Amino acid sequence: MIPRVLTVAGSDSGGGAGIQADLKTMLALGVHGMSVITAVTAQNSLGVQGAWELPAAAVRAQYRSVVDDIGVQAVKTGMLGSAELVETVAELISGTDAPAVVDPVGVSKHGDPLLAASALDSVRTKLLPVATVATPNLDEVAQLTGVRVESEEGMRRAAAAVLAYGPRWVLIKGGHLTGDAVDLLTDGSAEHWLRAPRHTNRHTHGTGCTLASAIASGLAKGRCVPEAVTAAKEYVTGAIAAGFALGAGIGPVDHGWRFRA
């Protein structure tokens, strides 16, 4: 049977991030993608013009509908918005026998807030403890832990601060640093430094969603965490290099770059 991956995230009407990016990534990597929509956004290449959160009951019903009938080999979370949704999703994941990749989405590529400040504590105490892999970028690390990273060495402190909340592994994404695109994957003992050339392409909308979905896809295929993350890094690096202009602002990465290579 084709491995099945469930994304729990917001919808991006522009198609570059969120549920749309997740499903495109899953298709490109050979798994069956399924979705639980947590919010609907009015969003394009210029930013987020509006967001409407779904009721917790609707999120729970979508999740149960998929998991109880079809089953999943991995779950990925993205935009959750409120403390109520964070806690609802954390409870659902804790009762699901599948690895979970948690992308603690705080703001959009354009700086628009996608997580209420009142939800941060729920992310720390409810969601991160049920994560197989947490994938914060440096801004999200600062938001969750107060640790500000300005160098590769600082990524170790960031990883330790996030691991203290309970995820089995953390991937600290160093894309906001200068030099090569460097990420640190660790479970507190083993360290894996993942490096790739930094592409100057400005069309990078959806990178975080794409990376987390690619990791979940690898886990659903039975890969261990380091193997899944390494393969996901390779995929998203190619997608960034092939990112294309769309609208008047920041375009998306190309989820189908391997088909067009």
Side-chain angles (χ1 to χ4, degrees):
M1 184 175 289
I2 297 175
R4 290 144 287 161
V5 183
L6 177 62
T7 170
V8 184
S11 169
D12 174 2
S13 55
I19 288 284
Q20 288 81 352
D22 297 340
L23 295 177
K24 291 174 187 177
T25 299
M26 293 168 192
L27 177 63
L29 296 180
V31 303
H32 176 65
M34 304 169 292
S35 64
V36 172
I37 297 176
T38 60
V40 174
T41 68
Q43 188 171 167
N44 56 27
S45 69
L46 299 173
V48 179
Q49 291 79 46
W52 298 268
E53 184 180 302
L54 268 68
V59 170
R60 183 182 297 276
Q62 292 175 80
Y63 191 100
R64 291 263 60 95
S65 179
V66 171
V67 173
D68 294 347
D69 173 49
I70 302 171
V72 295
Q73 276 72 58
V75 179
K76 175 263 178 186
T77 72
M79 175 187 175
L80 298 180
S82 68
E84 182 181 18
L85 286 189
V86 169
E87 293 173 13
T88 297
V89 171
E91 178 190 346
L92 291 165
I93 289 174
S94 69
T96 304
D97 185 18
V101 179
V102 170
D103 184 14
V105 175
V107 297
S108 74
K109 177 69 68 177
H110 303 85
D112 304 293
L114 299 176
L115 181 71
S118 58
L120 287 173
D121 194 55
S122 295
V123 173
R124 299 181 189 108
T125 62
K126 303 292 185 181
L127 189 59
L128 289 177
V130 300
T132 306
V133 188
T135 63
N137 62 31
L138 299 186
D139 288 340
E140 290 157 353
V141 167
Q143 189 178 38
L144 290 167
T145 71
V147 174
R148 300 195 176 277
V149 177
E150 297 179 354
S151 67
E152 286 188 25
E153 184 59 34
M155 294 172 72
R156 286 195 173 98
R157 289 191 300 110
V162 176
L163 284 171
Y165 290 117
R168 286 173 51 198
W169 291 82
V170 62
L171 177 68
I172 303 296
K173 299 180 294 191
H176 294 172
L177 297 176
T178 57
D180 286 347
V182 180
D183 304 328
L184 170 61
L185 173 70
T186 180
D187 62 355
S189 54
E191 271 190 5
H192 303 268
W193 290 90
L194 306 174
R195 299 178 183 275
R198 182 178 297 276
H199 297 289
T200 57
N201 188 354
R202 68 186 289 261
H203 301 300
T204 57
H205 186 49
T207 50
C209 306
T210 300
L211 180 62
S213 294
I215 295 170
S217 298
L219 295 177
K221 292 177 177 178
R223 290 174 171 166
C224 66
V225 170
E227 289 176 350
V229 172
T230 299
K233 171 82 169 179
E234 179 185 356
Y235 170 72
V236 79
T237 298
I240 291 170
F244 55 92
L246 197 70
I250 298 173
V253 301
D254 184 0
H255 299 95
W257 67 273
R258 282 178 172 162
F259 305 141
R260 288 183 274 276

